[in-house]
Amino acid sequence: MDTSPTALFDSYEQDFQQFIESIRDKLEGSGKDEVGEQRRATLRRVEMDIDEADEMVSQMEIEIQGIPQSLRTSYLSRLKSAKTSLTTYKKSLTDVRATLARTELLSSSSKSPSPGLGGEYPNTDDPYTSDRSRLLAGTNILEDGTKRLQESQRIALETEEQGADILTNLRGQREQIENARNTLWRADTAIDRASGTVKKMIRRMYQQRAVTYAIITVLILLIVIIIWEKLSG
């Protein structure tokens, strides 16, 4: 397992690029020619991919704080590039949705009027009836699009709140880890000081013991000399 300070950033960036590739394919590649409900379903998946990519950017912002200053400049540039790509595809999604709604509105307007009461078609000679039908159809499409946009906004707000909670928890955990590291550092310093004090005490003990042995030796020598002098006298 890679434990370098940039490993998690690189991993999140790789996941981000995968989401971006999926978004690009759905908006500009294989999903570009889809129509109707199939296209709307694809755009909902694009929105989910954008939410996931946004979360990866948030994680990259967190991890960049732990990257050494000597390496941070290049990673800040990569983070800025990721944010720019994400903003571009968010705007593209909005534009595609607007285009789809406009296309559906025009398509609905070009269709034949729906049968009126009694199963008969309205009189095409009456322009007011035809305009009213097209207006009602367009209003229904706009209301449906508004509801979908409101639902998407609600999901985005919920996701943002969840992301904020996750970021808060991660910051709290980081602070706890830093506090624990500082505590360990202070404990290690205290242990080093205590170890030095014990060594000094042991050294003094040996010195005192050596002095004691020297005094005892001198006393024994004096006693031996005194006894020898008495015996020889």
Side-chain angles (χ1 to χ4, degrees):
M1 181 178 178
D2 190 354
T3 58
S4 64
T6 62
L8 284 176
F9 184 97
D10 293 335
S11 175
Y12 289 132
E13 185 182 31
Q14 184 178 3
D15 293 340
F16 172 82
Q17 293 298 336
Q18 290 177 355
F19 285 120
I20 289 296
E21 288 296 329
S22 176
I23 294 168
R24 182 184 296 113
D25 180 64
K26 292 181 178 69
L27 291 179
E28 304 171 359
S30 60
K32 187 177 182 180
D33 297 328
E34 297 174 345
V35 295
E37 184 58 34
Q38 185 180 11
R39 185 56 170 166
R40 287 194 292 271
T42 298
L43 294 181
R44 287 194 291 270
R45 290 194 294 271
V46 169
E47 183 178 4
M48 289 188 289
D49 287 343
I50 286 178
D51 289 339
E52 292 293 338
D54 202 357
E55 177 63 22
M56 293 301 101
V57 169
S58 298
Q59 295 296 331
M60 289 161 66
E61 288 178 333
I62 294 174
E63 292 304 322
I64 205 168
Q65 302 301 321
I67 294 178
Q69 195 67 35
S70 59
L71 302 175
R72 191 174 298 179
T73 301
S74 61
Y75 281 87
L76 282 172
S77 177
R78 289 160 62 177
L79 177 61
K80 182 178 179 180
S81 176
K83 288 182 177 180
T84 302
S85 297
L86 184 60
T87 301
T88 299
Y89 283 107
K90 283 182 178 179
K91 184 177 183 301
S92 296
L93 175 60
T94 302
D95 293 342
V96 170
R97 276 180 167 163
T99 301
L100 179 63
R102 185 167 57 253
T103 301
E104 290 179 346
L105 178 59
L106 294 175
S107 175
S108 175
S109 300
S110 64
K111 291 181 180 178
S112 299
S114 300
L117 296 176
E120 297 179 356
Y121 285 91
N123 184 4
T124 56
D125 293 335
D126 185 357
Y128 297 105
T129 302
S130 178
D131 290 342
R132 184 174 181 274
S133 298
R134 288 196 294 269
L135 180 60
L136 289 174
T139 302
N140 290 333
I141 292 175
L142 288 176
E143 289 179 350
D144 183 56
T146 301
K147 290 179 180 178
R148 287 199 297 270
L149 287 175
Q150 290 175 345
E151 180 65 17
S152 299
Q153 185 179 13
R154 183 186 64 79
I155 295 174
L157 290 175
E158 290 179 354
T159 303
E160 183 178 358
E161 291 177 356
Q162 293 175 358
D165 291 339
I166 292 173
L167 289 176
T168 301
N169 292 333
L170 289 174
R171 289 192 183 98
Q173 293 175 5
R174 172 168 289 181
E175 289 177 357
Q176 292 177 355
I177 293 173
E178 289 178 351
N179 291 335
R181 183 171 58 187
N182 292 334
T183 301
L184 289 174
W185 180 80
R186 288 194 296 268
D188 185 60
T189 302
I191 290 173
D192 289 340
R193 291 177 180 174
S195 176
T197 302
V198 170
K199 289 179 179 178
K200 289 179 180 179
M201 293 174 63
I202 292 174
R203 188 163 54 250
R204 290 177 181 175
M205 182 188 69
Y206 285 139
Q207 291 174 352
Q208 292 175 356
R209 183 177 295 178
V211 171
T212 302
Y213 287 158
I215 293 173
I216 292 173
T217 302
V218 171
L219 291 174
I220 292 173
L221 288 175
L222 289 175
I223 293 171
V224 170
I225 292 172
I226 293 171
I227 295 173
W228 182 79
E229 288 180 352
K230 286 185 177 181
L231 292 177
S232 61

